[in-house]
Amino acid sequence: MNNNQLINKYFYVRYLDDKPHIRLRIQGDPNILLSTVLIKMKDWTSNLIEGGLINKIELSCYEREIERYGGPDFIDICETLFYYDSICVSELFNFLSYTTNELFDKETIAVLSVIFYLEEIGFDYNQQLNLFERILENNKFPKEFRLKKDYLVFLCNSNLNWSNLRKSEDGNKLISIFEKRKKIINHASEEFSVKSNYLYSPTKDIWLSIIHMHLNRLLGVDREKEKNIMLLVKYTLKNLKYQKGIL
């Protein structure tokens, strides 16, 4: 439907509530949504139910989280970012389904993805580290980091345009996936900066919410798993200080 220009954009969010489910948000011309898209959605979801992939479908209105994402001047750009992020995560799942490189498990890809976000937002190394030390001030050192330290520090070094990551075919594929959302992240960062007086929330809080939603799409609704990824990001950044020339 997206390729046929029946919808303008979409994104999805994972929820638990009573049972795990996905909420798919679709934006487009109301006439086309009612006359064409809903019929196609019915056919698609009926096939999913028959195949045992889902139990049911419900249709409801979407209430935008306007304040959480900066206010009415910024919600459109955030939802466009969610659209590109949803595409990115879908391609990451596809990547995980065919890669034979054991280094690139979902956990490592999540850490890489978050650091890519920080880089594209425009945070320099010190800003990245300070942010993660602030939000994860008193948290314990994750056991997994001892096992993953060497290759996380190697892969997550953005120096020379991610030259370490580009040394493998899979690394280049990951970069091409992450870059699908690069322009919109850059644009959102610019808008937040230029129109900062109109923001309802601090810029860093908005970005943390956006990163949280990315991890929701990638990991599912699992606060402990998400916290663990954020800790891995923190300690990866801390161990990058020598490569970044910080003594």
Side-chain angles (χ1 to χ4, degrees):
M1 288 186 286
N2 193 39
N3 292 337
N4 294 330
Q5 298 183 329
L6 295 175
I7 60 176
N8 296 334
K9 57 189 176 187
Y10 69 90
F11 64 91
Y12 74 91
V13 183
R14 296 173 184 260
Y15 284 83
L16 274 181
D17 296 343
D18 295 333
K19 294 181 179 179
H21 64 279
I22 286 175
R23 296 184 190 176
L24 178 65
R25 320 295 196 189
I26 298 174
Q27 185 194 73
D29 183 307
N31 294 321
I32 296 175
L33 291 178
L34 288 171
S35 64
T36 307
V37 173
L38 280 181
I39 295 171
K40 289 183 176 293
M41 287 290 293
K42 178 182 177 297
D43 293 340
W44 174 53
T45 53
S46 294
N47 289 333
L48 293 177
I49 291 171
E50 286 176 15
L53 295 174
I54 62 173
N55 294 320
K56 64 178 180 177
I57 179 173
E58 293 181 3
L59 187 66
S60 63
C61 295
Y62 162 49
E63 295 183 13
R64 303 168 104 184
E65 295 184 272
I66 292 173
E67 292 189 6
R68 183 180 184 184
Y69 297 106
D73 292 337
F74 306 96
I75 188 65
D76 281 338
I77 194 169
C78 286
E79 289 178 348
T80 300
L81 199 163
F82 296 157
Y83 164 59
Y84 284 100
D85 190 72
S86 294
I87 293 173
C88 173
V89 172
S90 296
E91 294 196 14
L92 289 176
F93 280 125
N94 186 47
F95 172 87
L96 283 165
S97 73
Y98 66 70
T99 184
T100 57
N101 190 330
E102 293 181 359
L103 291 182
F104 293 117
D105 58 15
K106 189 186 288 188
E107 201 171 55
T108 299
I109 288 173
V111 174
L112 267 168
S113 189
V114 170
I115 293 178
F116 257 84
Y117 253 109
L118 299 175
E119 290 284 327
E120 299 306 339
I121 290 165
F123 293 155
D124 63 29
Y125 171 74
N126 284 322
Q127 288 173 316
Q128 295 175 27
L129 183 56
N130 290 340
L131 174 63
F132 273 73
E133 288 190 325
R134 175 176 66 83
I135 63 174
L136 299 164
E137 186 177 359
N138 297 312
N139 287 273
K140 294 179 181 179
F141 187 87
K143 293 178 182 178
E144 295 92 329
F145 187 70
R146 291 187 180 90
L147 301 174
K148 293 173 172 281
K149 175 184 172 182
D150 289 343
Y151 65 84
L152 277 177
V153 171
F154 178 80
L155 294 173
C156 295
N157 184 356
S158 64
N159 289 358
L160 300 175
N161 193 25
W162 299 92
S163 60
N164 289 346
L165 189 57
R166 292 183 187 276
K167 289 178 180 177
S168 71
E169 184 180 349
D170 278 351
N172 277 292
K173 286 177 181 175
L174 283 173
I175 289 171
S176 69
I177 293 172
F178 294 143
E179 286 184 339
K180 291 183 183 296
R181 64 190 184 198
K182 178 177 180 176
K183 285 184 180 179
I184 186 62
I185 295 173
N186 294 164
H187 180 49
S189 186
E190 248 182 72
E191 288 291 297
F192 294 163
S193 177
V194 171
K195 301 177 182 178
S196 59
N197 290 338
Y198 300 98
L199 286 169
Y200 283 22
S201 311
T203 305
K204 287 181 179 178
D205 289 350
I206 298 170
W207 282 118
L208 287 171
S209 290
I210 289 169
I211 289 171
H212 161 69
M213 294 314 301
H214 168 67
L215 293 176
N216 166 280
R217 295 183 187 99
L218 184 59
L219 305 175
V221 185
D222 190 329
R223 281 295 197 176
E224 281 304 308
K225 191 178 288 186
E226 179 181 335
K227 182 179 177 181
N228 192 59
I229 294 299
M230 298 295 268
L231 282 169
L232 289 173
V233 170
K234 173 185 173 179
Y235 284 101
T236 299
L237 290 171
K238 283 175 73 74
N239 282 270
L240 275 167
K241 64 181 180 180
Y242 300 110
Q243 287 87 338
K244 298 293 183 179
I246 309 296
L247 302 177

